[in-house]
């Protein structure tokens, strides 16, 4: 009787161990399945400034809203071209499922290295001139995204400078080495010349040169227009300081620069174009589309915003027909 009891006990103990082992296997399998659901997204950003940061926040929110669990490898070049290239190589070799390129230089660097990994960009002004896509409607390869050039933004800004501020000579500080910036400045010059305005350029290569370049324009211009140049925007406080000291109206290219002290901008929220880029990335990650099938998107909902403190300091009377709003 005792032998039978011992035998039964051994069998029961063995069964418990077997069930425990199976349970561990199922748990391990379940954990493995959860891990396979997580995608790896490489992120490259040329420099740290509020607009680009907001675009990345928008991108992450769209990925989250799409129900995708993502692991991000985030790299920032701090406006160093050699670092930008190194980052691109690292991300391509990291096994990323998709790369999010936040700025023109960032997108160009990764696009030059891989034709296989999907690349979604944002904060790019002219994707065609930057040779990122074949056309806005048909990108053609592994790269697509959202641009930060709303077609009506520059014409509206020029009209405001001329008709409302009475500008004649407009100073522009920019990094001529950025494709994004060169394209914008050329577009601005062409349109300003057409309406009788003169552009006075001041070129920089690093953010440390921004203040001196802005000061070099004093006495030559009656207003300033800072486009979405990553180098200059990252040091915008230097421009604002010079503009304030000399009572020069400073028009800018996006809302974050208005919040920091620029007079005004015709623009959109960078969070929104980042979110739209994230929606595109989600379609690719879910296998619903490819970059070649997703047209490059323009920003939506152009708005005119002003900085009230700057408006008051310059003694500008806001008109109802401007249909403007103050930044918060």
């Amino acid at each position: 009787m005792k032998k039978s009891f011992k035998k039964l006990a051994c069998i029961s103990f063995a069964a418990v161990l077997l069930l425990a082992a199976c349970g561990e296997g199922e748990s391990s399998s379940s954990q493995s399945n959860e891990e396979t659901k997580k995608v790896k997204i490489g992120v490259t950003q040329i420099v740290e400034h509020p607009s680009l940061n907001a675009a990345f926040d928008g991108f992450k929110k769209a990925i989250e809203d799409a129900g995708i669990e993502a692991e991000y490898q985030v790299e920032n070049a701090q406006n160093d071209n050699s670092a930008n290239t190194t980052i691109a190589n690292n991300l391509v070799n990291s096994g990323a499922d998709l790369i999010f390129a936040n700025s023109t230089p960032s997108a160009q660097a990764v696009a030059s290295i891989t034709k296989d990994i999907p690349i979604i960009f944002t904060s790019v002004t002219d994707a065609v001139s930057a040779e990122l896509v074949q056309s806005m409607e048909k990108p053609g390869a592994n790269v697509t995204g959202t641009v930060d050039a709303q077609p009506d933004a520059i014409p509206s800004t020029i009209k405001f400078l001329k008709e409302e501020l009475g500008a004649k000579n407009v100073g522009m500080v920019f990094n001529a080495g950025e494709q994004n910036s060169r394209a914008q400045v050329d577009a601005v010059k062409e349109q300003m010349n057409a309406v009788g305005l003169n552009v006075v350029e001041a070129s920089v290569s690093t953010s440390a040169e921004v203040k001196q370049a802005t000061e070099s324009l004093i006495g030559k211009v009656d207003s300033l227009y800072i486009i979405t140049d990553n180098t200059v925007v990252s040091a915008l406080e230097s421009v604002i300081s010079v503009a304030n000291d000399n009572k020069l109206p400073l028009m800018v290219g996006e809302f974050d620069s208005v919040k920091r002290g620029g007079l005004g901008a015709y623009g959109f929220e960078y969070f929104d174009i980042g979110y739209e880029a994230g929606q595109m990335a989600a379609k690719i990650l879910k296998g619903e589309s490819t970059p070649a099938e997703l047209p490059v998107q323009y920003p939506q909902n152009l708005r005119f915003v002003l900085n009230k403190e700057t408006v008051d300091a310059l003694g500008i009377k806001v008109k109802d027909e401007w249909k403007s709003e103050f930044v918060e």
Side-chain angles (χ1 to χ4, degrees), residues 157 250-255 258 262-267 303-306:
T157 303
L250 169 61
M251 293 297 291
V252 290
E254 29 73 36
F255 295 160
V258 181
L263 170 60
Y266 285 89
R303 295 152 51 205
F304 182 40
V305 301
L306 294 165

Side-chain angles (χ1 to χ4, degrees), residues 20-52:
C22 289
E24 286 180 3
E26 288 174 2
S27 175
S28 176
S29 175
S30 175
Q31 185 176 357
S32 177
N33 287 337
E34 287 179 6
E35 288 176 356
T36 57
K37 289 180 183 177
K38 183 178 286 190
V39 299
K40 184 172 183 179
I41 299 177
V43 179
T44 173
Q45 183 169 311
I46 189 62
V47 72
E48 191 83 17
H49 71 63
S51 295
L52 296 183

Side-chain angles (χ1 to χ4, degrees), residues 63-142:
I63 294 296
E64 179 186 341
D65 288 350
I68 296 172
E69 188 177 355
E71 174 189 343
Y72 293 96
Q73 180 178 338
V74 183
E75 304 284 352
N76 193 304
Q78 300 301 341
N79 216 26
D80 184 322
N81 287 330
S82 61
N84 186 42
T85 302
T86 300
I87 287 169
N89 277 296
N90 290 343
L91 291 181
V92 168
N93 295 323
S94 70
D97 298 298
L98 180 142
I99 295 175
F100 174 55
N102 198 4
S103 77
T104 301
S106 303
Q108 287 176 316
V110 287
S112 68
I113 297 171
T114 179
K115 302 302 178 186
D116 300 317
I117 302 173
I119 299 169
I120 296 294
F121 61 74
T122 196
S123 311
V124 167
T125 298
D126 190 337
V128 178
S129 293
E131 299 182 350
L132 293 172
V133 296
Q134 293 178 11
S135 72
M136 297 288 282
E137 297 77 19
K138 296 181 179 180
N142 64 317

Side-chain angles (χ1 to χ4, degrees), residues 65-295:
D65 288 350
I68 296 172
E69 188 177 355
E71 174 189 343
Y72 293 96
Q73 180 178 338
V74 183
E75 304 284 352
N76 193 304
Q78 300 301 341
N79 216 26
D80 184 322
N81 287 330
S82 61
N84 186 42
T85 302
T86 300
I87 287 169
N89 277 296
N90 290 343
L91 291 181
V92 168
N93 295 323
S94 70
D97 298 298
L98 180 142
I99 295 175
F100 174 55
N102 198 4
S103 77
T104 301
S106 303
Q108 287 176 316
V110 287
S112 68
I113 297 171
T114 179
K115 302 302 178 186
D116 300 317
I117 302 173
I119 299 169
I120 296 294
F121 61 74
T122 196
S123 311
V124 167
T125 298
D126 190 337
V128 178
S129 293
E131 299 182 350
L132 293 172
V133 296
Q134 293 178 11
S135 72
M136 297 288 282
E137 297 77 19
K138 296 181 179 180
N142 64 317
V143 185
T144 189
T146 59
V147 295
D148 62 2
Q150 216 283 349
D152 296 327
I154 290 177
S156 298
T157 303
I158 292 173
K159 183 177 180 181
F160 185 79
L161 280 163
K162 179 179 174 64
E163 297 181 5
E164 304 299 339
L165 299 181
K168 292 183 174 60
N169 297 292
V170 182
M172 299 189 73
V173 184
F174 68 103
N175 183 347
E178 278 195 35
Q179 175 67 35
N180 168 66
S181 301
R182 184 73 265 177
Q184 285 187 81
V185 171
D186 289 345
V188 170
K189 286 179 68 174
E190 181 179 355
Q191 293 180 49
M192 282 197 178
N193 290 338
V195 297
L197 292 181
N198 178 46
V199 174
V200 183
E201 297 182 9
S203 179
V204 300
S205 56
T206 69
S207 57
E209 300 171 2
V210 170
K211 185 172 184 180
Q212 185 176 357
T214 308
E215 290 173 335
S216 73
L217 296 172
I218 301 305
K220 303 174 185 176
V221 301
D222 49 39
S223 56
L224 296 167
Y225 180 19
I226 300 301
I227 53 170
T228 54
D229 180 290
N230 293 307
T231 303
V232 179
V233 173
S234 67
L236 189 68
E237 281 67 28
S238 297
V239 183
I240 292 169
S241 174
V242 175
N244 290 345
D245 289 345
N246 293 275
K247 300 294 181 183
L248 291 175
L250 169 61
M251 293 297 291
V252 290
E254 29 73 36
F255 295 160
D256 288 306
S257 292
V258 181
K259 294 175 185 176
R260 292 161 73 184
L263 170 60
Y266 285 89
F268 49 87
E269 297 289 352
Y270 268 71
F271 180 94
D272 292 341
I273 61 171
Y275 190 91
E276 290 159 7
Q279 289 177 314
M280 298 170 81
K283 289 181 180 179
I284 293 167
L285 291 169
K286 289 182 174 182
E288 298 172 359
S289 190
T290 66
E293 297 168 337
L294 293 172

